């Protein structure tokens, strides 16, 4: 259910802005998106797991806040990230 170390490094490598970047908005959103997708798969088979549902909603909210911040700061980076991750808008 959690993201493996290898997958985390892959996501950071795909979305980093510089060589030492591990905490930019793009990387954080990519990691959150991966966790959200994993939890969505879990929720399909365990629809009564309310604690998981609550955690999923918190992750979606955190991602939304980061995306709003990125849209305010740099629209080009925001639209590119949305396109790469396959999110709406």
């Amino acid at each position: 259910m959690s993201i493996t170390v290898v997958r985390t490094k892959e996501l950071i490598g795909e979305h980093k802005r510089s060589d030492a970047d591990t905490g930019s908005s793009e990387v954080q959103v990519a990691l959150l998106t991966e966790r959200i997708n994993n939890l969505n798969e879990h929720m399909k088979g365990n629809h009564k797991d309310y604690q998981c549902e609550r955690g999923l909603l918190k992750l979606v909210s955190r991602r939304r806040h980061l995306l709003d911040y990125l849209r305010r700061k740099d629209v080009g980076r925001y639209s590119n990230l949305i396109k790469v991750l396959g999110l709406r808008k």
Side-chain angles (χ1 to χ4, degrees), residues 3 5 9 11 15 32-33 41 44 54 58 60 67 84 89:
I3 305 172
V5 175
K9 287 181 182 179
L11 287 171
H15 298 285
L32 284 171
T33 300
E41 290 300 317
K44 287 179 183 177
R54 182 173 186 267
K58 287 175 76 171
V60 170
L67 285 171
V84 167
K89 291 188 184 180

Side-chain angles (χ1 to χ4, degrees), residues 39-70:
L39 285 176
N40 272 334
E41 290 300 317
H42 171 77
M43 289 300 294
K44 287 179 183 177
N46 302 287
H47 65 278
K48 289 191 177 184
D49 189 354
Y50 299 115
Q51 292 299 317
C52 179
E53 183 178 5
R54 182 173 186 267
L56 178 62
L57 291 175
K58 287 175 76 171
L59 290 177
V60 170
S61 176
R62 189 181 314 162
R63 182 177 70 178
R64 180 78 259 157
H65 286 285
L66 283 168
L67 285 171
D68 288 344
Y69 168 79
L70 193 58

Side-chain angles (χ1 to χ4, degrees), residues 2-15:
S2 63
I3 305 172
T4 62
V5 175
V6 174
R7 182 64 181 146
T8 301
K9 287 181 182 179
E10 287 175 4
L11 287 171
I12 291 172
E14 291 172 11
H15 298 285

Side-chain angles (χ1 to χ4, degrees), residues 10-28:
E10 287 175 4
L11 287 171
I12 291 172
E14 291 172 11
H15 298 285
K16 67 182 177 182
R17 299 183 65 208
S18 66
D19 291 336
D21 179 22
T22 58
S24 67
S25 297
E26 290 95 335
V27 171
Q28 291 181 48

